[in-house]
Amino acid sequence: MIILHSCASSQSAADTDLNQLNITVQEPNSESENYMLQLSGFSGSDSEEYTVAMSRLNNHEWDDILSIEEIGTSQERTILAEIKNDPQSYNRVLWALGHEHFKNHATDYETPQPTQTDKDKMPELLGGIEAVMSEVRYPDALNGIGGRVMVQVVVTRLGEVEDPVIVQSLHTTADLEAIRAVGEMKFSPGIIDGLPIKVKYTLPVFFRET
């Protein structure tokens, strides 16, 4: 197989959305086989998506990809990537190609153990606590009461909020408003060993009468 190298800039590769491309996957049927991932749907013969996809695959940080091949003509190009017979390797490649590809095709894997390196990251609330406070509406039923509600949520592998639970209550209406406001938030997902995972996250919601 031929390994192709791309000269796409890192900024372009980071910003270009590849989620509209088509991915088909042939899963391994035995321990001696590997995942075969086919990527198609590029726009035109001089497609930026093609250049960026090749850049992301060729510059993939881990040794998950065994080979990369171009199939077809310059008018109808397809990329075929052979990926190690390992769910975590497969998931990392999908994540590198885009959130929707990961969401639609990811394979379950055993929970990885923290590495205590820069391959591990806690979820990060986009916009910070200010984003939550700009969303909060002070309930009339509080009648001037101020205070804090602590909300625990699950941040999904796509940075979405699930299963909010009140771990420190202030007032029923405040608790409900805190859950509503936190439910509108977006996160960058938690990472362990370079792979996005679900993480429990607790954050405060403050109530002050304006």
Side-chain angles (χ1 to χ4, degrees):
M1 291 188 177
I2 302 173
I3 302 295
L4 302 178
H5 296 277
S6 168
C7 60
S9 70
S10 59
Q11 186 63 38
S12 174
D15 293 344
T16 301
D17 182 4
L18 300 182
N19 287 316
Q20 300 307 311
L21 297 177
N22 301 318
I23 281 186
T24 56
V25 177
Q26 179 180 330
E27 296 189 0
N29 293 318
S30 68
E31 291 185 2
S32 62
E33 296 181 353
N34 296 306
Y35 290 92
M36 300 301 295
L37 186 151
Q38 184 170 300
L39 192 61
S40 60
F42 301 102
S43 56
S45 60
D46 193 21
S47 167
E48 178 184 5
E49 291 91 346
Y50 178 84
T51 303
V52 170
M54 289 300 296
S55 175
R56 291 187 187 177
L57 292 172
N58 280 313
N59 297 319
H60 188 63
E61 182 178 356
W62 291 266
D63 59 351
D64 300 323
I65 302 172
L66 301 175
S67 64
I68 307 167
E69 182 182 10
E70 178 185 12
I71 303 174
T73 67
S74 61
Q75 298 295 324
E76 296 184 10
R77 288 193 272 190
T78 299
I79 298 171
L80 184 65
E82 183 180 5
I83 303 168
K84 281 183 179 180
N85 188 341
D86 172 58
Q88 192 168 352
S89 292
Y90 171 64
N91 285 350
R92 276 195 293 245
V93 174
L94 285 175
W95 184 259
L97 290 172
H99 287 206
E100 286 302 313
H101 298 317
F102 183 88
K103 178 179 179 181
N104 294 333
H105 300 283
T107 296
D108 288 336
Y109 63 97
E110 293 183 4
T111 303
Q113 297 299 312
T115 64
Q116 307 301 324
T117 69
D118 58 5
K119 294 180 182 180
D120 299 343
K121 295 180 181 178
M122 284 295 292
E124 182 177 344
L125 175 61
L126 301 183
I129 196 65
E130 293 81 6
V132 180
M133 296 313 301
S134 66
E135 179 67 29
V136 170
R137 301 164 190 160
Y138 185 88
D140 293 337
L142 287 184
N143 292 321
I145 297 174
R148 180 183 70 176
V149 177
M150 297 296 292
V151 184
Q152 183 184 82
V153 299
V154 173
V155 178
T156 72
R157 294 179 293 180
L158 295 176
E160 299 166 347
V161 172
E162 290 183 346
D163 304 328
V165 176
I166 301 297
V167 294
Q168 180 180 314
S169 176
L170 175 64
H171 184 281
T172 301
T173 56
D175 295 349
L176 292 173
E177 175 60 12
I179 287 176
R180 185 201 67 78
V182 169
E184 298 295 321
M185 298 298 104
K186 296 293 183 182
F187 287 77
S188 60
I191 303 289
I192 286 186
D193 196 21
L195 195 66
I197 62 167
K198 284 187 174 183
V199 179
K200 286 186 177 180
Y201 188 96
T202 302
L203 66 161
V205 180
F206 298 96
F207 289 87
R208 302 182 183 92
E209 188 176 25
T210 56

